[in-house]
Amino acid sequence: MSTFILIIALMSALALACIVPPLLRRTDAATTPDAVHGAEHDAALAAGPHAQPQMRLALALALLLPAAAVGLYLQVGRPEALAMPPELLAAAATPADHGVAEEDIPAMVERLAERLRTQPGDIEGWHMLARSYSAMNRYDDAAKAFAHLATLLPEDAGLLADYADALATAQDGTLAGEPERLIEKALAIDPQQPKALALSGSAAFARGDFALAEKQWLAVLPLVPEGSEFARSTQAGIAEARTRQGIPATAPAPVAAPLAAPATAATVKPAPAPSAARLSGTIRLAPGAALPQPGQTLFIYARAANGAPMPLAAIKRKASELPLQFVLDDSNALRPGTRLADAGQLIVGARISASGSATPQAGELEGQAGPVAAGANGLLIELSVHGQAVK
């Protein structure tokens, strides 16, 4: 960053050197008696007062040109790139800038990780690494990066919420255990941390404590921009929590009260009855398919048959458990408030990942069943390299 500022200062000085001296020379020529003789001297003296605006113009340029350059850069430039780790600076460029290919980004992230092994105190670098791993669906690695950051910033409530989110995603999407402990710690530090409140509501919803889920999510709304994606998904979650309580989704919100302590066994309600959108069946290897290797991951998901390809609900299991019985319902939704029944016809699929990444790779064993209606049972999914589906 200091090198960048030095370059800008030198460029500004060069520009001023081309503009200001000629103006000053014209001022001197108009006011110095030795520079003129006779009638020319008298004309120069007469012109002296008119030379003052040139002096003022020179001073104004000397002051305003650098200020204007800085203001223009802050308006249209990318000052955040000054603090970006060098390994990811090229990845942040647009194709018109450097043409970095998408496949180059993982290598850049690995170079950043290698550098940070010798720079454990680089907070911004570790932040960038954790966010990069999350964007690449490498949640185990993201959780490890956030864990390191938590040792550097133990009182950062937002960081603890991010850590809990990554850790829960890495462990089959469940917030029980260490993720919930991190959420509680984040709320103890900052009771109005939006992400921690949202995750607390999700944890309560998963336990069947829909009243507490509604309460935590209601506390989120005043803290996030109205109309934002965060606000919309939170409102959908509130509506679902009210429906589960037998309350109309449009009922007036209760008066806000101070946040309660985390739910105990005495406050947790019984688990709800099975959802009408419950999907179940069996997943097995197709005849002739290779046996999964130790450590490989099985992803099971449901998505809309006619709509975006992103999963609506998903769970993760060990591939070594095949063949296995599975159940997918609204409690496995990837976003609060998502209801499988609202999507119409569904595709139910499964895929074995050798890397543990949720991003599909060529040559992986996969299979699908569908389209099926929400609530379909007895599905059979056979996994093969070509992803053939059997309903």
Side-chain angles (χ1 to χ4, degrees):
M1 181 172 180
S2 58
T3 303
F4 176 81
I5 294 175
L6 178 60
I7 292 173
I8 293 299
L10 290 174
M11 293 178 66
S12 298
L14 181 61
L16 292 173
C18 295
I19 299 173
V20 174
L23 293 173
L24 295 178
R25 284 197 295 271
R26 292 180 62 186
T27 301
D28 292 340
T31 57
T32 303
D34 293 339
V36 291
H37 300 282
E40 295 178 357
H41 178 214
D42 295 337
L45 291 176
H50 298 288
Q52 292 181 3
Q54 294 177 349
M55 175 65 76
R56 289 196 292 269
L57 177 59
L59 292 175
L61 287 173
L63 295 174
L64 295 179
L65 185 61
V70 171
L72 183 63
Y73 175 72
L74 293 177
Q75 183 68 27
V76 303
R78 298 170 67 184
E80 71 279 2
L82 298 178
M84 187 177 292
E87 293 82 356
L88 298 184
L89 185 56
T94 62
D97 291 328
H98 296 294
V100 177
E102 184 176 350
E103 57 267 22
D104 293 336
I105 296 178
M108 294 174 182
V109 173
E110 289 309 311
R111 287 198 294 271
L112 174 60
E114 184 66 27
R115 178 172 68 81
L116 290 176
R117 291 188 184 98
T118 62
Q119 298 179 13
D122 184 352
I123 292 175
E124 183 58 35
W126 282 97
H127 266 294
M128 182 67 71
L129 182 64
R131 291 192 294 267
S132 299
Y133 280 147
S134 294
M136 296 165 64
N137 297 321
R138 293 174 56 178
Y139 294 108
D140 285 321
D141 292 327
K144 292 174 184 177
F146 279 124
H148 179 78
L149 273 171
T151 65
L152 302 176
L153 301 170
E155 299 300 313
D156 189 323
L159 169 63
L160 293 174
D162 288 337
Y163 180 14
D165 190 17
L167 189 59
T169 307
Q171 59 179 37
D172 299 334
T174 177
L175 290 162
E178 182 65 10
E180 197 161 5
R181 187 191 70 79
L182 291 167
I183 295 166
E184 293 171 4
K185 182 177 179 181
L187 290 175
I189 296 170
D190 181 2
Q192 293 188 314
Q193 211 295 315
K195 187 169 187 177
L197 282 169
L199 291 173
S200 176
S202 297
F205 189 94
R207 294 194 304 269
D209 192 345
F210 304 118
L212 180 59
E214 179 190 1
K215 182 179 181 180
Q216 301 297 72
W217 286 335
L218 282 170
V220 171
L221 292 180
L223 306 175
V224 299
E226 185 177 356
S228 65
E229 181 62 28
F230 197 164
R232 289 195 296 270
S233 63
T234 302
Q235 289 166 339
I238 292 169
E240 178 64 17
R242 288 175 176 172
T243 299
R244 296 297 184 93
Q245 296 174 79
I247 302 172
T250 56
V255 177
L259 292 178
T264 63
T267 62
V268 175
K269 297 180 179 180
S275 167
R278 183 177 182 270
L279 299 161
S280 64
T282 301
I283 301 174
R284 69 188 185 192
L285 296 173
L291 293 174
Q293 299 298 310
Q296 291 186 335
T297 302
L298 175 68
F299 290 96
I300 308 168
Y301 61 87
R303 63 173 176 84
N306 301 306
M310 297 300 294
L312 302 173
I315 55 177
K316 187 167 67 171
R317 296 289 184 266
K318 294 179 180 179
S320 59
E321 297 175 3
L322 289 170
L324 59 78
Q325 305 291 317
F326 74 92
V327 174
L328 272 178
D329 59 26
D330 292 342
S331 68
N332 306 123
L334 299 182
R335 297 179 61 181
T338 298
R339 300 182 63 181
L340 296 175
D342 294 338
Q345 292 289 294
L346 298 166
I347 297 293
V348 184
R351 179 176 58 82
I352 294 177
S353 170
S355 64
S357 170
T359 304
Q361 303 293 327
E364 292 178 330
L365 295 177
E366 59 182 331
Q368 294 181 348
V372 298
N377 297 309
L379 301 175
L380 176 61
I381 300 175
E382 292 192 333
L383 305 179
S384 67
V385 173
H386 301 291
Q388 297 172 343
V390 179
K391 178 179 175 181

